[in-house]
Every structure is written in structure tokens, then in C-alpha cells.
Amino acid sequence: MSLIMLKNLLLSPFLSFIHKDFHEIVKRMTLVDKFLFLIVHFVDKLNLWHRLPVFFGLLYLGARRRLHQQYNLINVGRTPTGVRSNPADFPYRTADGKYNDPFNEGAGSEFSFFGRNMMPVDQHEKLKKPDPMVVATKLLARRKFVDTGKQFNMIAASWIQFMVHDWIDHLEDTQQIELRAPKEVASECPLKSFKFNKTKETPTGFYEIKTGHLNMRTPWWDGSVIYGSNAEVLEKVRTFKDGKLKLSKNGLIQQDENGKIISGDVRNTWAGLLLLQALFVQEHNVVCDVFKKEYPELEDEDLYRHARLVTSAVIAKVHTIDWTVELLKTDTMLAGMRANWYGLLGKKFKDTFGHVNVGGSVFSGFVGMKKPENHGVPYSLTEEFVTVYRMHQLLPDKLQLRNIDVTPGPNKSLPLTNEIPMEELIGGKGKENLSRIGFTKQMVSMGHQACGALDLWNYPVWMRDLVAQDVDGNDRQDHIDLASLEIYRDRERSVPRYNDFRRGMLQIPISKWEDLTDNEEAIETLREVYDDDVEELDLLVGLMAEKKIEGFAISETAFFLFLVMAARRLEADRFFTSNYNEETYTKKGLEWVNTTESLKDVLNRHYPEMAEKWINSSSAFSVWDSSPEPHNPIPLYFRVPKQ
């Protein structure tokens, strides 16, 4: 009897317990993975993991992440063989992202392929089924602004755009597509029709996935949002003096003689994104000052390279243990995200004894591992990753400006002065208005304003008549309906629909609308739009409709993709693993990263009066006049979620 037959014989008693859609993939799993799947599947059936004590919740997430690392990382394109670069030749982040992976010089570089978390599902026969403008109008378009309460503020909304502009942007074709609003919704559509460029399909040279899409940004966590994704942009943003980047005297992003902003990414900007770009240019330049004082022998190029490494690591750390913790506000995720950076033994242990290399990342986290780990699949960000990061519902209709010249009220609250429509804060108008408002007032105002909730009927209507920009930041002639376009893009790029996506992520698919939501109006509208076929439900709509775990600003379905990709951004990058050391970063550089725990720390460095006067909350990503987190005497791993 063969080993495979023996494994399947052992599995056969469990097949009646396992959902029928997973029988085939489970048969292909190793014995260990079969065991892990049975545990995960059992917990999923009981909808239990987020109600478990923290330590057991972490065990569940660890088992699930291992399964995703084995079965949800798919390469697109050919992998070079027999070619190796020497990491010692590139002890710095290159302008275009090359040479991070010694075995694949192009992995994670500009114009590399988007990967996949599951096999593509061709939808070219169903690009308009149901019509994207019908879906956007009946299920996405904002009726009344719904916010996130005190959990998440406008800085948090701006931050995720800051990250997306660091990671992903599809190369477009020159061929245009036009969408026209069907009669049933035309009167409710700001645009009756609109044109946009197709996503460019590129042959992969590989038999399994024959075509793919190219990423114009470097998907590494390398700060390309301020440095650029190629040498040409990098040259524009550098001063070539003391390693620094260009910055205006008022602390905002510098503009050229034509009024164009000078930054690593200039496409589809708005005041909130420009503000964060400016803050981290300030961070880079202060790091350069510290290095010049500490290491006077360093020349301009070395100062720039070290400062970029440090600044990029600070950005990654803030996202990991600050932004994500506020997005997924539970004790389990607080423990989990800190474990990604520091390991289960925690920061104090790691600071005292260094990285424990036994057990991989378990005890000391991904950062500082002995060697990078890509699980046999060259690093990239994926098409599905792009979809779950579609979060435009976070944006409000107006920015509420605060009066920073008065004495703050209770909880450091501030009165409103006026409101500015978001249309006045995007593109060229946004740049001009930000200059008038100023860095401090803009940051404080965003800190005190809650962002939108990721729900149905909360997509900004002003984004359905939007002036989009090209890669150089020039306004395009054709306005777009972004809500409708996002539905179309997922279908065009063969991203599976909601149920197929859940199957691909080893989640039990829904069999009826009531499995998705308790909202009766939503159920009725979903039945109407999708002809009562749950298999036709678009992924983006499902993510917005799904019942959320208490404390989560996103759906569980989106979160499970985050679970594997958040780890991958750290563990596959040698500058967070084998090259995360004093030789590469300098002693002072590592100290800088290690003592930065939050965005509040970064703000304190550059605007020390800001936290003292205006931030009452524990995190700069929560609404600033909210109460700080109370002390909890129960050790984190022993806490039990509120039932």
C-alpha cells in the first residue's frame, strides 16, 4: 500500500465532517497539514477562534497561517535558475527593488508580476454580470456617512493609502473601455458613462498561468512612496547633500518650478497622503542628521542608504504594531501583531537576549530571523491582496478643520472652524489647500475626525465622479466612477468572487444570504442585484456586507488574507531578517527603530507639542479625544475576549 493511499485511508473517517468543497485539497495535503486543517475547520464550524483565550486564538491563527503559506502562495512568471547575486554587493535597498532576494534578482522589483493567493478565475464572459454600475449604485454608494466611532481616525485612513502607494499599482494598457449606466440606475449615477484604460496583460512565459499583470511600484516595504520605484524618481527627490531628501521650509513636500510635487509617488494624491509623505521625509532627514553626527566619516550616499533602511523599517513597524492593532482592536490581535515583530517572548526578552533562532519566528518574531523565508515562492504582492485593500469607504465627504489656537477642552478636544469638501483636498487643489492649512492644523484635524466604516452603502459618492491622474500626477481628461471601476477591475483581473475566494482561503462558503449578513434590506438588495445567486456575489461587496468580529474594522474574510501577507512582507525581506543587523543598519540605526513603537513616537520627534496638547488617545490612529487604553492587570496571553 502506497503512502498516499494510507494517508487517504486515515482521512476517510473525517470526510463526512469536512465540507465537501475541501475534500480534494485536503487529500493533497501532508499528514501534518491535514491535522492542522481539521483543527482549523472544527473551530471555523463553531465560529469560535475570536472568542478563545488569547493564547489559544494565537495557536489557531498560527495553524491557519501555516496552511495559507503552503497552499495560498502562487508564483506568476518564470523563476530564474542558476543565477545568484551576492547580498554583500547590495547592503542597501536598491532604487528599483532588485537584488533583495539573492536567488531571484527581480523578485519584488519595479515591473515584476503580481502574484496570486489562489488560481485565477476567468470572468471575461461575465465582466458586466451584474453590471458594475448597478452594483455600485444599489449596494456601495453612500446614503449617509457612517463612521467608525472613536476606533479609527482620518490619519488611519490616510495611512493605508500611504502604504498602498508604497506597494502596488497596475500597469495599464493604452486600450480604453467604456462603461455605460443601465437605465434602471442612470438617474442615480453621477456619470452616465465613463472611459478608463484596461489593465495591461503580459505573457508570463509559464504554462500554468499564461498571462499576468505588472506592478509599477516596488512591493517590498522599502518606502518607495517617498523614494520612488526607480533611479529616475530617486534622483528627483534627493538633495545629494548629507543623504537628505527635498522638503519645503514649511515642512511639506517640495514642488518643482511647474508646481508639481516632488515625491516618490505623485499619482492620485490628496492632502492626507501628502502629509504623511512629508512626515516621513522629515523622519529620513532627521535620521541623516543623527548619523552625520554619530558617524562623521559617512558620505552622502552612505547617509542616504542607512537613513532609508531605518525610515522604511520605522514605517513597517508602525504599520505592524500600531495601525493594524487599531484596525483589529482585540487582545488577540494586539498579541499577534507584536509577536510578528518581537515574537511570543516579547520585546523585553528580545532586547535583553537578542533574537532566538530556535523555532523560526515563534519566539522572537520575523524581524531579525537568521535568513529570509519565502516558502519556495518568489516574493510579490498579489491580485487578491489588492482587492482586500480597497478601502475607499474610509474617506468622508468633508474634512473637519479644528481650531488649534484655543485651549483644548475635555479629553483635549477642539472646536470646529469649518469643513472642506473632500473634492477640494485631492490632486492639485489638495496640494494648494494643504499649503494654506499647514502641517500642524491638517494633522490635528485628521487626528480628531473619525473615518468611514467599511460597510455597504458607505462608498463616497464624490468618488463616483473623480478626476484620476496618470503616473506623473497629471489629471486625466476622462472622469471615472471609482466604485464601479473597482468592481470591474476585480473581474478583469480574474480575482475570484466572494464564495470562490473563501473556498480558496479554506473558509466555509456561504450557502444563503443570511450566512453573510443579518441586515434584511441588504439581503433583499443582494438577492435582486445578483439574481439570488450567492455564487455571483462580488468579492468587494461581500467584504463590505459581511458581519464583522467585534473590534474588527474589516471583515474576517479580508483578515485571513492579511494574516499571511502581513507576515510575508517581513519574513521574505532580507532587510528585515538576515540583514537586520548593525553592520547593515548601524548600531544607531537599529536603536532608532527599536525605540520607535508607534506613529505617536514619530510625531513626538518632529512636533513634540502635538501629543502634549492635542492627543488624549493611546494611539495616534484612534480619534485623538478618545480615552486612553485602561491598564489591564491580566497578562496578555491569559486574557479572554468579552463574549
Side-chain angles (χ1 to χ4, degrees), residues 225-268:
V225 64
I226 59 173
Y227 302 107
S229 291
N230 55 58
E232 182 182 355
V233 175
L234 180 59
E235 187 172 342
K236 289 179 182 177
V237 303
R238 288 183 61 182
T239 64
F240 293 98
K241 183 179 180 182
D242 298 334
K244 293 187 176 183
L245 305 181
K246 294 174 182 176
L247 189 70
S248 292
K249 291 179 180 178
N250 62 4
L252 297 174
I253 292 295
Q254 198 173 111
Q255 300 175 27
D256 66 17
E257 62 276 8
N258 299 313
K260 293 287 182 68
I261 59 172
I262 302 172
S263 191
D265 191 274
V266 299
R267 186 182 194 187
N268 296 329

